[in-house]
Amino acid sequence: MKADIDAASCSSKLELLFQSHESNVDAAKCSKSVCPACHAATCFTRKDIRRRNLRYLRQNPVTSILHVAKIAIRLVRWKCFLCKYTFTDYPDFRTPL
Ligand SMILES: [Zn+2]
């Protein structure tokens, strides 16, 4: 039973992270404060956005059955206007391949 509760709280935490990430994309906020290449602070312009589909385990709140849920998130590519380095701002819940 404890595993079921953990799975439910884990999937709801993930959904909160998804919402937080999407609101950061809407607000054009980058999660990094310095450029990964030249380490200059907050000198980014948004280059483009692409969609990425993710799958995660979600627990049905009524039946408590785990199932695979799909969600599409947007990944933003940022460009440093000092060194021209381009990078993707991957959220913590999704690591680069
Ligand atoms: Zn840079």
Side-chain angles (χ1 to χ4, degrees):
M1 189 66 191
K2 185 172 184 331
D4 291 344
I5 293 170
D6 289 346
S9 67
C10 188
S11 62
S12 64
K13 280 180 194 171
L14 258 178
E15 287 163 358
L16 287 175
L17 288 173
F18 295 154
Q19 290 171 4
S20 168
H21 171 76
E22 288 297 303
S23 62
N24 281 345
V25 171
D26 287 337
K29 281 188 197 169
C30 181
S31 67
K32 301 199 176 11
S33 57
V34 296
C35 171
C38 71
H39 305 289
T42 59
C43 52
F44 313 132
T45 55
R46 201 155 70 174
K47 186 171 181 182
D48 62 34
I49 296 178
R50 60 192 161 108
R51 288 196 164 273
R52 183 66 69 217
N53 293 322
L54 300 179
R55 285 181 280 177
Y56 65 103
L57 283 177
R58 184 176 193 279
Q59 187 174 32
N60 186 312
V62 178
T63 62
S64 298
I65 295 174
L66 284 175
H67 63 97
V68 176
K70 292 180 185 172
I71 189 169
I73 63 165
R74 294 171 292 168
L75 295 175
V76 180
R77 296 185 77 208
W78 295 91
K79 185 172 187 177
C80 174
F81 58 75
L82 294 178
C83 71
K84 311 299 183 204
Y85 182 75
T86 300
F87 62 96
T88 303
D89 186 20
Y90 290 101
D92 290 339
F93 55 83
R94 197 273 184 202
T95 56
L97 296 176

